[in-house]
PDB file of all heavy atoms in Angstrom:
ATOM      1  N   VAL A   1     -11.284  -6.947  -2.192  1.00 97.00           N
ATOM      2  CA  VAL A   1     -10.605  -8.095  -2.826  1.00 97.00           C
ATOM      3  C   VAL A   1     -11.336  -8.376  -4.131  1.00 97.00           C
ATOM      4  O   VAL A   1     -12.538  -8.708  -4.123  1.00 97.00           O
ATOM      5  CB  VAL A   1     -10.631  -9.336  -1.913  1.00 97.00           C
ATOM      6  CG1 VAL A   1      -9.830 -10.451  -2.531  1.00 97.00           C
ATOM      7  CG2 VAL A   1     -10.114  -9.008  -0.531  1.00 97.00           C
ATOM      8  N   ALA A   2     -10.673  -8.259  -5.244  1.00 97.00           N
ATOM      9  CA  ALA A   2     -11.313  -8.476  -6.544  1.00 97.00           C
ATOM     10  C   ALA A   2     -11.229  -9.951  -6.927  1.00 97.00           C
ATOM     11  O   ALA A   2     -10.177 -10.580  -6.846  1.00 97.00           O
ATOM     12  CB  ALA A   2     -10.640  -7.627  -7.591  1.00 97.00           C
ATOM     13  N   LEU A   3     -12.408 -10.499  -7.348  1.00 97.00           N
ATOM     14  CA  LEU A   3     -12.498 -11.849  -7.882  1.00 97.00           C
ATOM     15  C   LEU A   3     -13.123 -11.754  -9.275  1.00 97.00           C
ATOM     16  O   LEU A   3     -13.674 -10.732  -9.667  1.00 97.00           O
ATOM     17  CB  LEU A   3     -13.392 -12.712  -7.000  1.00 97.00           C
ATOM     18  CG  LEU A   3     -12.962 -12.965  -5.543  1.00 97.00           C
ATOM     19  CD1 LEU A   3     -13.495 -11.865  -4.615  1.00 97.00           C
ATOM     20  CD2 LEU A   3     -13.452 -14.343  -5.076  1.00 97.00           C
ATOM     21  N   LYS A   4     -13.023 -12.821 -10.028  1.00 96.00           N
ATOM     22  CA  LYS A   4     -13.637 -12.859 -11.347  1.00 96.00           C
ATOM     23  C   LYS A   4     -15.130 -12.591 -11.216  1.00 96.00           C
ATOM     24  O   LYS A   4     -15.777 -13.069 -10.279  1.00 96.00           O
ATOM     25  CB  LYS A   4     -13.398 -14.214 -12.020  1.00 96.00           C
ATOM     26  CG  LYS A   4     -13.878 -14.277 -13.452  1.00 96.00           C
ATOM     27  CD  LYS A   4     -13.607 -15.667 -14.071  1.00 96.00           C
ATOM     28  CE  LYS A   4     -12.109 -15.915 -14.248  1.00 96.00           C
ATOM     29  NZ  LYS A   4     -11.837 -17.186 -15.017  1.00 96.00           N
ATOM     30  N   LYS A   5     -15.675 -11.820 -12.147  1.00 96.00           N
ATOM     31  CA  LYS A   5     -17.074 -11.454 -12.087  1.00 96.00           C
ATOM     32  C   LYS A   5     -17.969 -12.672 -12.029  1.00 96.00           C
ATOM     33  O   LYS A   5     -17.828 -13.626 -12.819  1.00 96.00           O
ATOM     34  CB  LYS A   5     -17.444 -10.621 -13.343  1.00 96.00           C
ATOM     35  CG  LYS A   5     -18.868 -10.087 -13.326  1.00 96.00           C
ATOM     36  CD  LYS A   5     -19.085  -9.087 -12.219  1.00 96.00           C
ATOM     37  CE  LYS A   5     -20.482  -8.480 -12.240  1.00 96.00           C
ATOM     38  NZ  LYS A   5     -20.726  -7.567 -11.128  1.00 96.00           N
ATOM     39  N   GLY A   6     -18.862 -12.681 -11.031  1.00 96.00           N
ATOM     40  CA  GLY A   6     -19.812 -13.755 -10.853  1.00 96.00           C
ATOM     41  C   GLY A   6     -19.350 -14.836  -9.853  1.00 96.00           C
ATOM     42  O   GLY A   6     -20.148 -15.728  -9.550  1.00 96.00           O
ATOM     43  N   ASP A   7     -18.170 -14.715  -9.290  1.00 96.00           N
ATOM     44  CA  ASP A   7     -17.663 -15.719  -8.339  1.00 96.00           C
ATOM     45  C   ASP A   7     -18.245 -15.379  -6.951  1.00 96.00           C
ATOM     46  O   ASP A   7     -17.528 -14.975  -6.034  1.00 96.00           O
ATOM     47  CB  ASP A   7     -16.154 -15.734  -8.319  1.00 96.00           C
ATOM     48  CG  ASP A   7     -15.618 -16.894  -7.464  1.00 96.00           C
ATOM     49  OD1 ASP A   7     -16.406 -17.669  -6.926  1.00 96.00           O
ATOM     50  OD2 ASP A   7     -14.361 -16.991  -7.316  1.00 96.00           O
ATOM     51  N   VAL A   8     -19.535 -15.555  -6.801  1.00 97.00           N
ATOM     52  CA  VAL A   8     -20.228 -15.217  -5.551  1.00 97.00           C
ATOM     53  C   VAL A   8     -19.817 -16.166  -4.439  1.00 97.00           C
ATOM     54  O   VAL A   8     -19.653 -15.758  -3.273  1.00 97.00           O
ATOM     55  CB  VAL A   8     -21.749 -15.232  -5.791  1.00 97.00           C
ATOM     56  CG1 VAL A   8     -22.504 -14.972  -4.470  1.00 97.00           C
ATOM     57  CG2 VAL A   8     -22.151 -14.199  -6.811  1.00 97.00           C
ATOM     58  N   ARG A   9     -19.651 -17.437  -4.790  1.00 96.00           N
ATOM     59  CA  ARG A   9     -19.268 -18.398  -3.727  1.00 96.00           C
ATOM     60  C   ARG A   9     -17.872 -18.054  -3.172  1.00 96.00           C
ATOM     61  O   ARG A   9     -17.673 -18.086  -1.963  1.00 96.00           O
ATOM     62  CB  ARG A   9     -19.268 -19.798  -4.331  1.00 96.00           C
ATOM     63  CG  ARG A   9     -18.911 -20.886  -3.319  1.00 96.00           C
ATOM     64  CD  ARG A   9     -18.925 -22.293  -4.002  1.00 96.00           C
ATOM     65  NE  ARG A   9     -18.490 -23.334  -3.110  1.00 96.00           N
ATOM     66  CZ  ARG A   9     -18.391 -24.607  -3.425  1.00 96.00           C
ATOM     67  NH1 ARG A   9     -18.692 -24.978  -4.670  1.00 96.00           N
ATOM     68  NH2 ARG A   9     -17.997 -25.490  -2.553  1.00 96.00           N
ATOM     69  N   GLY A  10     -16.939 -17.736  -4.056  1.00 97.00           N
ATOM     70  CA  GLY A  10     -15.585 -17.371  -3.605  1.00 97.00           C
ATOM     71  C   GLY A  10     -15.623 -16.110  -2.786  1.00 97.00           C
ATOM     72  O   GLY A  10     -14.950 -15.945  -1.758  1.00 97.00           O
ATOM     73  N   CYS A  11     -16.483 -15.146  -3.216  1.00 97.00           N
ATOM     74  CA  CYS A  11     -16.611 -13.875  -2.507  1.00 97.00           C
ATOM     75  C   CYS A  11     -17.100 -14.094  -1.071  1.00 97.00           C
ATOM     76  O   CYS A  11     -16.542 -13.529  -0.129  1.00 97.00           O
ATOM     77  CB  CYS A  11     -17.559 -12.964  -3.273  1.00 97.00           C
ATOM     78  SG  CYS A  11     -17.995 -11.427  -2.453  1.00 97.00           S
ATOM     79  N   ALA A  12     -18.115 -14.963  -0.914  1.00 97.00           N
ATOM     80  CA  ALA A  12     -18.650 -15.218   0.400  1.00 97.00           C
ATOM     81  C   ALA A  12     -17.597 -15.878   1.287  1.00 97.00           C
ATOM     82  O   ALA A  12     -17.499 -15.542   2.494  1.00 97.00           O
ATOM     83  CB  ALA A  12     -19.873 -16.132   0.291  1.00 97.00           C
ATOM     84  N   ALA A  13     -16.781 -16.759   0.727  1.00 97.00           N
ATOM     85  CA  ALA A  13     -15.740 -17.416   1.516  1.00 97.00           C
ATOM     86  C   ALA A  13     -14.656 -16.417   1.968  1.00 97.00           C
ATOM     87  O   ALA A  13     -14.188 -16.464   3.117  1.00 97.00           O
ATOM     88  CB  ALA A  13     -15.111 -18.534   0.700  1.00 97.00           C
ATOM     89  N   VAL A  14     -14.309 -15.480   1.091  1.00 97.00           N
ATOM     90  CA  VAL A  14     -13.345 -14.446   1.458  1.00 97.00           C
ATOM     91  C   VAL A  14     -13.921 -13.550   2.537  1.00 97.00           C
ATOM     92  O   VAL A  14     -13.217 -13.189   3.472  1.00 97.00           O
ATOM     93  CB  VAL A  14     -12.959 -13.620   0.196  1.00 97.00           C
ATOM     94  CG1 VAL A  14     -12.128 -12.391   0.617  1.00 97.00           C
ATOM     95  CG2 VAL A  14     -12.186 -14.479  -0.777  1.00 97.00           C
ATOM     96  N   ASN A  15     -15.186 -13.217   2.418  1.00 96.00           N
ATOM     97  CA  ASN A  15     -15.824 -12.363   3.477  1.00 96.00           C
ATOM     98  C   ASN A  15     -15.836 -13.058   4.820  1.00 96.00           C
ATOM     99  O   ASN A  15     -15.615 -12.411   5.873  1.00 96.00           O
ATOM    100  CB  ASN A  15     -17.262 -12.017   3.055  1.00 96.00           C
ATOM    101  CG  ASN A  15     -17.298 -10.866   2.070  1.00 96.00           C
ATOM    102  OD1 ASN A  15     -16.328 -10.143   1.878  1.00 96.00           O
ATOM    103  ND2 ASN A  15     -18.443 -10.656   1.452  1.00 96.00           N
ATOM    104  N   ARG A  16     -16.043 -14.367   4.854  1.00 96.00           N
ATOM    105  CA  ARG A  16     -15.982 -15.093   6.122  1.00 96.00           C
ATOM    106  C   ARG A  16     -14.568 -15.013   6.703  1.00 96.00           C
ATOM    107  O   ARG A  16     -14.418 -14.826   7.923  1.00 96.00           O
ATOM    108  CB  ARG A  16     -16.402 -16.552   5.936  1.00 96.00           C
ATOM    109  CG  ARG A  16     -17.926 -16.717   5.683  1.00 96.00           C
ATOM    110  CD  ARG A  16     -18.316 -18.199   5.810  1.00 96.00           C
ATOM    111  NE  ARG A  16     -17.752 -19.017   4.768  1.00 96.00           N
ATOM    112  CZ  ARG A  16     -18.344 -19.213   3.565  1.00 96.00           C
ATOM    113  NH1 ARG A  16     -19.489 -18.661   3.297  1.00 96.00           N
ATOM    114  NH2 ARG A  16     -17.754 -20.020   2.684  1.00 96.00           N
ATOM    115  N   ALA A  17     -13.582 -15.147   5.851  1.00 97.00           N
ATOM    116  CA  ALA A  17     -12.186 -15.087   6.314  1.00 97.00           C
ATOM    117  C   ALA A  17     -11.856 -13.692   6.852  1.00 97.00           C
ATOM    118  O   ALA A  17     -11.170 -13.556   7.892  1.00 97.00           O
ATOM    119  CB  ALA A  17     -11.233 -15.466   5.196  1.00 97.00           C
ATOM    120  N   LEU A  18     -12.312 -12.675   6.156  1.00 96.00           N
ATOM    121  CA  LEU A  18     -12.027 -11.302   6.591  1.00 96.00           C
ATOM    122  C   LEU A  18     -12.749 -10.993   7.914  1.00 96.00           C
ATOM    123  O   LEU A  18     -12.173 -10.307   8.791  1.00 96.00           O
ATOM    124  CB  LEU A  18     -12.493 -10.304   5.524  1.00 96.00           C
ATOM    125  CG  LEU A  18     -11.701 -10.330   4.232  1.00 96.00           C
ATOM    126  CD1 LEU A  18     -12.343  -9.398   3.198  1.00 96.00           C
ATOM    127  CD2 LEU A  18     -10.228  -9.934   4.452  1.00 96.00           C
ATOM    128  N   THR A  19     -13.954 -11.519   8.085  1.00 95.00           N
ATOM    129  CA  THR A  19     -14.662 -11.322   9.345  1.00 95.00           C
ATOM    130  C   THR A  19     -13.896 -11.917  10.512  1.00 95.00           C
ATOM    131  O   THR A  19     -13.697 -11.281  11.561  1.00 95.00           O
ATOM    132  CB  THR A  19     -16.067 -11.967   9.265  1.00 95.00           C
ATOM    133  OG1 THR A  19     -16.819 -11.330   8.251  1.00 95.00           O
ATOM    134  CG2 THR A  19     -16.805 -11.807  10.579  1.00 95.00           C
ATOM    135  N   GLU A  20     -13.381 -13.118  10.298  1.00 96.00           N
ATOM    136  CA  GLU A  20     -12.589 -13.782  11.321  1.00 96.00           C
ATOM    137  C   GLU A  20     -11.285 -13.030  11.601  1.00 96.00           C
ATOM    138  O   GLU A  20     -10.832 -12.916  12.751  1.00 96.00           O
ATOM    139  CB  GLU A  20     -12.279 -15.231  10.897  1.00 96.00           C
ATOM    140  CG  GLU A  20     -11.490 -16.018  11.937  1.00 96.00           C
ATOM    141  CD  GLU A  20     -11.206 -17.449  11.503  1.00 96.00           C
ATOM    142  OE1 GLU A  20     -11.909 -17.928  10.609  1.00 96.00           O
ATOM    143  OE2 GLU A  20     -10.284 -18.027  12.069  1.00 96.00           O
ATOM    144  N   MET A  21     -10.686 -12.449  10.530  1.00 96.00           N
ATOM    145  CA  MET A  21      -9.471 -11.695  10.685  1.00 96.00           C
ATOM    146  C   MET A  21      -9.655 -10.530  11.652  1.00 96.00           C
ATOM    147  O   MET A  21      -8.767 -10.212  12.466  1.00 96.00           O
ATOM    148  CB  MET A  21      -8.988 -11.214   9.311  1.00 96.00           C
ATOM    149  CG  MET A  21      -7.643 -10.519   9.304  1.00 96.00           C
ATOM    150  SD  MET A  21      -7.164  -9.965   7.653  1.00 96.00           S
ATOM    151  CE  MET A  21      -8.178  -8.474   7.494  1.00 96.00           C
ATOM    152  N   TYR A  22     -10.769  -9.865  11.526  1.00 94.00           N
ATOM    153  CA  TYR A  22     -11.065  -8.697  12.431  1.00 94.00           C
ATOM    154  C   TYR A  22     -11.501  -9.192  13.790  1.00 94.00           C
ATOM    155  O   TYR A  22     -11.018  -8.656  14.825  1.00 94.00           O
ATOM    156  CB  TYR A  22     -12.120  -7.808  11.777  1.00 94.00           C
ATOM    157  CG  TYR A  22     -11.524  -6.795  10.828  1.00 94.00           C
ATOM    158  CD1 TYR A  22     -11.352  -7.113   9.491  1.00 94.00           C
ATOM    159  CD2 TYR A  22     -11.119  -5.532  11.276  1.00 94.00           C
ATOM    160  CE1 TYR A  22     -10.777  -6.195   8.610  1.00 94.00           C
ATOM    161  CE2 TYR A  22     -10.571  -4.621  10.402  1.00 94.00           C
ATOM    162  CZ  TYR A  22     -10.387  -4.954   9.066  1.00 94.00           C
ATOM    163  OH  TYR A  22      -9.811  -4.048   8.213  1.00 94.00           O
ATOM    164  N   GLN A  23     -12.366 -10.178  13.858  1.00 93.00           N
ATOM    165  CA  GLN A  23     -12.869 -10.607  15.169  1.00 93.00           C
ATOM    166  C   GLN A  23     -11.802 -11.232  16.047  1.00 93.00           C
ATOM    167  O   GLN A  23     -11.842 -11.130  17.272  1.00 93.00           O
ATOM    168  CB  GLN A  23     -14.021 -11.585  14.946  1.00 93.00           C
ATOM    169  CG  GLN A  23     -15.293 -10.936  14.365  1.00 93.00           C
ATOM    170  CD  GLN A  23     -16.426 -11.923  14.153  1.00 93.00           C
ATOM    171  OE1 GLN A  23     -16.217 -13.127  14.140  1.00 93.00           O
ATOM    172  NE2 GLN A  23     -17.626 -11.407  13.967  1.00 93.00           N
ATOM    173  N   SER A  24     -10.792 -11.862  15.413  1.00 94.00           N
ATOM    174  CA  SER A  24      -9.723 -12.509  16.146  1.00 94.00           C
ATOM    175  C   SER A  24      -8.651 -11.543  16.638  1.00 94.00           C
ATOM    176  O   SER A  24      -7.801 -11.894  17.425  1.00 94.00           O
ATOM    177  CB  SER A  24      -9.074 -13.582  15.291  1.00 94.00           C
ATOM    178  OG  SER A  24      -8.385 -13.008  14.198  1.00 94.00           O
ATOM    179  N   GLY A  25      -8.701 -10.309  16.096  1.00 92.00           N
ATOM    180  CA  GLY A  25      -7.637  -9.312  16.431  1.00 92.00           C
ATOM    181  C   GLY A  25      -6.481  -9.395  15.487  1.00 92.00           C
ATOM    182  O   GLY A  25      -5.538  -8.579  15.623  1.00 92.00           O
ATOM    183  N   ALA A  26      -6.472 -10.311  14.509  1.00 94.00           N
ATOM    184  CA  ALA A  26      -5.367 -10.419  13.570  1.00 94.00           C
ATOM    185  C   ALA A  26      -5.201  -9.171  12.729  1.00 94.00           C
ATOM    186  O   ALA A  26      -4.073  -8.733  12.436  1.00 94.00           O
ATOM    187  CB  ALA A  26      -5.563 -11.650  12.668  1.00 94.00           C
ATOM    188  N   ALA A  27      -6.309  -8.538  12.356  1.00 92.00           N
ATOM    189  CA  ALA A  27      -6.227  -7.319  11.526  1.00 92.00           C
ATOM    190  C   ALA A  27      -5.520  -6.219  12.262  1.00 92.00           C
ATOM    191  O   ALA A  27      -4.665  -5.505  11.705  1.00 92.00           O
ATOM    192  CB  ALA A  27      -7.644  -6.888  11.099  1.00 92.00           C
ATOM    193  N   LYS A  28      -5.857  -6.004  13.526  1.00 88.00           N
ATOM    194  CA  LYS A  28      -5.216  -4.976  14.322  1.00 88.00           C
ATOM    195  C   LYS A  28      -3.705  -5.242  14.471  1.00 88.00           C
ATOM    196  O   LYS A  28      -2.891  -4.311  14.362  1.00 88.00           O
ATOM    197  CB  LYS A  28      -5.850  -4.855  15.701  1.00 88.00           C
ATOM    198  CG  LYS A  28      -5.284  -3.715  16.560  1.00 88.00           C
ATOM    199  CD  LYS A  28      -5.977  -3.610  17.887  1.00 88.00           C
ATOM    200  CE  LYS A  28      -5.545  -2.343  18.632  1.00 88.00           C
ATOM    201  NZ  LYS A  28      -4.088  -2.213  18.733  1.00 88.00           N
ATOM    202  N   THR A  29      -3.368  -6.508  14.689  1.00 90.00           N
ATOM    203  CA  THR A  29      -1.947  -6.865  14.821  1.00 90.00           C
ATOM    204  C   THR A  29      -1.194  -6.576  13.543  1.00 90.00           C
ATOM    205  O   THR A  29      -0.092  -5.983  13.567  1.00 90.00           O
ATOM    206  CB  THR A  29      -1.832  -8.369  15.166  1.00 90.00           C
ATOM    207  OG1 THR A  29      -2.464  -8.609  16.413  1.00 90.00           O
ATOM    208  CG2 THR A  29      -0.361  -8.763  15.247  1.00 90.00           C
ATOM    209  N   MET A  30      -1.771  -6.904  12.383  1.00 90.00           N
ATOM    210  CA  MET A  30      -1.131  -6.632  11.099  1.00 90.00           C
ATOM    211  C   MET A  30      -0.889  -5.158  10.902  1.00 90.00           C
ATOM    212  O   MET A  30       0.198  -4.705  10.494  1.00 90.00           O
ATOM    213  CB  MET A  30      -2.006  -7.163   9.959  1.00 90.00           C
ATOM    214  CG  MET A  30      -2.140  -8.671   9.887  1.00 90.00           C
ATOM    215  SD  MET A  30      -3.338  -9.077   8.587  1.00 90.00           S
ATOM    216  CE  MET A  30      -3.625 -10.827   8.943  1.00 90.00           C
ATOM    217  N   ILE A  31      -1.918  -4.358  11.167  1.00 87.00           N
ATOM    218  CA  ILE A  31      -1.820  -2.903  10.927  1.00 87.00           C
ATOM    219  C   ILE A  31      -0.812  -2.268  11.895  1.00 87.00           C
ATOM    220  O   ILE A  31       0.013  -1.432  11.520  1.00 87.00           O
ATOM    221  CB  ILE A  31      -3.205  -2.239  11.057  1.00 87.00           C
ATOM    222  CG1 ILE A  31      -4.057  -2.692   9.886  1.00 87.00           C
ATOM    223  CG2 ILE A  31      -3.096  -0.725  11.104  1.00 87.00           C
ATOM    224  CD1 ILE A  31      -5.517  -2.247   9.973  1.00 87.00           C
ATOM    225  N   ASP A  32      -0.859  -2.702  13.197  1.00 84.00           N
ATOM    226  CA  ASP A  32       0.078  -2.148  14.158  1.00 84.00           C
ATOM    227  C   ASP A  32       1.516  -2.481  13.783  1.00 84.00           C
ATOM    228  O   ASP A  32       2.443  -1.645  13.939  1.00 84.00           O
ATOM    229  CB  ASP A  32      -0.224  -2.670  15.556  1.00 84.00           C
ATOM    230  CG  ASP A  32      -1.482  -2.090  16.153  1.00 84.00           C
ATOM    231  OD1 ASP A  32      -1.976  -1.076  15.607  1.00 84.00           O
ATOM    232  OD2 ASP A  32      -1.996  -2.643  17.167  1.00 84.00           O
TER     233      ASP A  32
END
């Protein structure tokens, strides 16, 4: 996921969301 260069805070927030997406099983559901 590309963000404006230097947006470390936004990047960390996106990473938390992506982690939850996989841990909750939502990622597998989307791909299937």
